[in-house]
Amino acid sequence: MVSPLDGYVQLGCSIALVPPQSRTIAATGLLNAILALACLTFGDAPSILTPSELMWYEQQSDCTSSIDGVFGVSQAMLLATAEVCQLAHDFVSQGPTPDLQATAASVFVGLDEHWLAKIIATPDSLRIQIGDLMFRHYLIAFLLVKVFGHDGRVHPRIQQSIAAIKELLVEAACLTGRLTGVIMPLLFASSYSDTASRETFLNLIDLTKHILGCWDVDATERIVREVWKRRDANQENWTYEDVIRDEPSLRILLV
């Protein structure tokens, strides 16, 4: 089994490719990205990528190139992810205030109606475009479940996004041979998928394990199988967050 420390080795290699004078900026950008993506795992609010702190981040090209290579999504999509994480956290901590409801509606419309054209129009590589398309569907489904309170197992728009994530995972593997940055979309989609799709998601997890070869994928498979087991038994605490909370050994950074 590959150690979780291998992720830090990959991080170090990515930073090493950046010119020496820019390595501090690249390292800071990557650590901020990790913190933002960690919020998807644990339901926390981004501690650094807050609206008041984004300007310096957006202006650093070294952050952009490092994030593209390590996480397989654009910097713009990473910032959108941080925004959704903050919003979900605020809904839990403050309740559905009118201002938060208005913000949530605006963010959802942006993802649902405007982000698709934005992704297609970018000059990003095919892998980054596929990654952004995948995360777009993931964030749409995440908002509908975590903020708007819909049941992801039966809601038609959520199931539509889950089907799209499944197809994009296959395309990313077949067309680019890379599955960087797919763990959280894969975990979410697998957890809320219908029974008929389970074998496909297990095959995707196996494929991801073969390509990435990291411990995160082993943990993802354990989480998904436990989620399905609890769903089949009609347990109330069946979500992947419940499983991670109940199994301390699975409380790892899934990126």
Side-chain angles (χ1 to χ4, degrees):
M1 178 181 294
V2 180
S3 165
L5 292 177
D6 284 4
Y8 295 100
V9 174
Q10 180 188 21
L11 179 64
C13 291
S14 300
I15 294 171
L17 295 176
V18 177
Q21 65 272 21
S22 302
R23 284 178 187 167
T24 300
I25 293 174
T28 304
L30 285 168
L31 290 172
N32 289 341
I34 290 172
L35 287 173
L37 292 171
C39 295
L40 294 170
T41 311
F42 305 131
D44 299 326
S47 56
I48 298 178
L49 291 185
T50 57
S52 61
E53 302 289 343
L54 293 181
M55 184 173 296
W56 75 269
Y57 196 77
E58 294 173 328
Q59 293 174 347
Q60 301 298 333
S61 60
D62 293 310
C63 290
T64 301
S65 59
S66 300
I67 288 165
D68 288 356
V70 175
F71 298 105
V73 297
S74 68
Q75 179 174 282
M77 183 55 74
L78 174 68
L79 298 178
T81 301
E83 181 181 26
V84 169
C85 288
Q86 183 68 56
L87 186 59
H89 180 268
D90 290 344
F91 259 75
V92 173
S93 61
Q94 303 175 28
T97 66
D99 286 346
L100 284 177
Q101 288 179 322
T103 301
S106 175
V107 171
F108 180 82
V109 169
L111 287 165
D112 195 37
E113 298 182 8
H114 307 308
W115 260 96
L116 183 60
K118 185 187 300 187
I119 293 169
I120 293 174
T122 65
D124 292 329
S125 67
L126 176 62
R127 175 62 186 91
I128 300 302
Q129 287 186 330
I130 292 176
D132 279 2
L133 289 170
M134 193 184 308
F135 260 78
R136 169 182 170 265
H137 280 288
Y138 169 45
L139 295 179
I140 286 172
F142 185 91
L143 275 173
L144 288 170
V145 172
K146 307 301 180 184
V147 173
F148 295 108
H150 295 292
D151 187 343
R153 296 167 293 182
V154 296
H155 191 279
R157 183 64 182 84
I158 296 171
Q159 287 299 313
Q160 178 185 344
S161 284
I162 287 173
I165 290 170
K166 182 171 61 175
E167 292 182 5
L168 288 165
L169 283 165
V170 174
E171 289 181 11
C174 294
L175 297 179
T176 71
R178 298 179 61 198
L179 286 173
T180 307
V182 305
I183 298 296
M184 281 309 300
L186 176 58
L187 175 59
F188 186 97
S190 301
S191 298
Y192 288 94
S193 66
D194 55 41
T195 305
S197 298
R198 290 182 181 180
E199 183 176 357
T200 300
F201 277 109
L202 285 177
N203 289 335
L204 285 168
I205 290 172
D206 285 340
L207 179 62
T208 307
K209 192 184 304 184
H210 174 72
I211 294 176
L212 293 183
C214 64
W215 189 63
D216 284 2
V217 188
D218 292 319
T220 300
E221 182 176 0
R222 289 174 58 195
I223 295 169
V224 168
R225 287 185 180 278
E226 180 62 22
V227 165
W228 292 343
K229 179 181 176 181
R230 295 184 184 192
R231 280 183 57 179
D232 292 344
N234 294 318
Q235 293 183 223
E236 292 185 2
N237 59 333
W238 63 268
T239 67
Y240 63 84
E241 295 98 333
D242 292 324
V243 173
I244 293 172
R245 190 180 303 114
D246 294 342
E247 298 287 341
S249 64
L250 296 175
R251 189 172 172 79
I252 61 173
L253 174 62
L254 297 170
V255 298

